[in-house]
């Protein structure tokens, strides 16, 4: 585990973007796994800017979403595929492909979930999986209680997650109750993982995820066992973290 501590979001985004570039350049068929939410925004802005000026132009890049809502209204602007296509339009315009995401509109969403897991495997697996974290420790939509070996599947969203995501909808009852999410086992198969957390609201859960026990109660804690985990935190998100309690092999870079 490598933990980077940043004074501001711009510096976090710049280093994260360089890290992603280097990791993807090493692969002839690069596959990037991407999360929605505000945490990766500084990274996505930096990647988009580097794509715009031509310093980031990976060939044959494929991008896979981490999760997607089930049962959104047709044409809904809250769909993750649509949002990620907007974010990655500059990066992916190079070869005309789009972001791949689970089919939350499928008549058989269970089957769609299995097909998505297979699609990731057929693409050669994910080189780098970008992750945010929910205040209850979820990654993707793997809520507390998720099996640590779970694969892509249909999951029920907790009330707290629906409440947290209600800010993107007009009313809370419009927030779907289910989603298709890569599982914790799927995420752990990625060759590298990058967890980004910003803001005071993530301070306590980051402490639990990185220095607490590995437990289904804090799904992100499974990442402690990932052989190539990079964690990027701003000052607020790292404010409750005692770096002396990190696993002994952890490396901490303090850029503040
Ligand atoms: C959603 C997404 C997660 C994301 C989380 C945190 O629930 N499914 O992938 O990590 O929100 O979002 P934010 O970064 O906006 O706090």
């Amino acid at each position: 585990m490598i933990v980077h501590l940043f004074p501001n979001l711009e510096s976090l985004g710049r280093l994260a973007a360089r890290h992603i570039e280097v990791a993807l350049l090493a692969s002839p068929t690069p596959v990037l796994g991407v999360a929605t939410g505000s945490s990766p925004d500084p990274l996505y802005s930096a990647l988009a800017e580097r794509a715009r000026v031509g310093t980031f132009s990976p060939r044959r890049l494929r991008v896979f979403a981490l999760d997607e809502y089930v049962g959104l209204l047709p044409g809904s602007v809250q769909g993750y595929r649509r949002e990620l296509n907007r974010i990655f339009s500059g990066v992916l315009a190079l070869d005309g492909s789009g972001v791949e995401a689970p089919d939350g509109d499928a008549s058989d969403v269970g089957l769609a979930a299995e097909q998505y897991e297979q699609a990731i495997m057929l693409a050669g697996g994910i080189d780098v999986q970008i992750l945010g974290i929910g205040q209850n420790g979820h990654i993707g939509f793997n809520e507390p209680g998720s099996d640590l070996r779970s694969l892509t599947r249909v999951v029920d969203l907790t009330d707290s997650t629906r409440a947290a995501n209600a800010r993107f909808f007009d009313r809370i009852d419009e927030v779907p109750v289910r989603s298709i999410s890569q599982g914790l086992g799927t995420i752990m198969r990625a060759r590298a993982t990058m967890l980004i957390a910003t803001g005071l609201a993530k301070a306590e859960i980051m402490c639990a995820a990185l220095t607490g026990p590995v437990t289904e109660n804090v799904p992100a804690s499974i990442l402690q066992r990932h052989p190539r985990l990079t964690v990027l935190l701003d000052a607020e998100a790292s404010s409750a973290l005692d770096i002396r309690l990190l696993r002994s092999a952890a490396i901490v870079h303090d850029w503040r």
Side-chain angles (χ1 to χ4, degrees):
M1 177 192 310
I2 301 179
V3 182
H4 295 272
L5 308 175
F6 296 95
N8 54 49
L9 300 183
E10 290 71 27
S11 53
L12 185 156
R14 273 199 308 274
L15 188 126
R18 283 209 302 276
H19 183 98
I20 295 290
E21 282 181 33
V22 170
L24 295 183
L25 282 173
S27 171
T29 53
V31 180
L32 182 62
V34 292
T36 48
S38 48
S39 310
D41 276 352
L43 160 62
Y44 295 157
S45 301
L47 276 182
E49 175 59 15
R50 292 174 78 92
R52 196 184 64 77
V53 299
T55 49
F56 179 53
S57 56
R59 297 170 69 87
R60 295 192 293 276
L61 174 66
R62 292 182 71 180
V63 180
F64 282 84
L66 189 55
D67 45 19
E68 178 60 286
Y69 287 118
V70 168
L72 282 170
L73 296 170
S76 171
V77 293
Q78 290 87 3
Y80 283 176
R81 182 202 302 267
R82 180 176 174 146
E83 173 64 3
L84 288 166
N85 268 319
R86 185 188 65 74
I87 292 169
F88 281 91
S89 58
V91 176
L92 290 172
L94 305 165
D95 55 9
S97 62
V99 173
E100 294 166 70
D103 184 0
D105 299 327
S107 53
D108 184 341
V109 282
L111 180 62
E114 284 174 29
Q115 288 171 336
Y116 193 65
E117 182 79 28
Q118 283 168 13
I120 292 172
M121 283 187 358
L122 286 173
I126 289 173
D127 289 303
V128 190
Q129 177 64 59
I130 299 164
L131 298 162
I133 184 170
Q135 285 181 43
N136 63 1
H138 73 234
I139 47 176
F141 273 128
N142 294 283
E143 300 282 23
S146 295
D147 191 311
L148 297 178
R149 292 155 306 177
S150 53
L151 301 180
T152 305
R153 69 209 185 288
V154 179
V155 294
D156 294 328
L157 303 184
T158 61
D159 290 343
S160 70
T161 294
R162 293 184 65 238
N165 290 1
R167 65 190 194 276
F168 300 112
F169 294 80
D170 290 336
R171 296 196 322 268
I172 190 160
D173 57 7
E174 290 178 6
V175 183
V177 294
R178 293 191 301 164
S179 76
I180 298 175
S181 179
Q182 286 188 37
L184 296 172
T186 317
I187 292 168
M188 289 296 282
R189 285 181 186 168
R191 284 182 273 283
T193 51
M194 172 183 276
L195 176 61
I196 302 175
T198 60
L200 210 49
K202 303 292 172 64
E204 289 299 328
I205 196 64
M206 282 312 300
C207 182
L210 298 184
T211 63
V214 174
T215 164
E216 290 179 353
N217 299 332
V218 182
S221 65
I222 187 68
L223 296 170
Q224 292 180 33
R225 295 194 183 145
H226 195 284
R228 284 185 63 204
L229 168 65
T230 305
V231 183
L232 300 104
L233 305 172
D234 70 352
E236 291 183 338
S238 62
S239 57
L241 187 67
D242 183 346
I243 58 175
R244 292 168 303 184
L245 300 181
L246 291 169
R247 283 157 53 116
S248 56
I251 299 167
V252 179
H253 293 293
D254 192 344
W255 305 99
R256 292 171 300 173

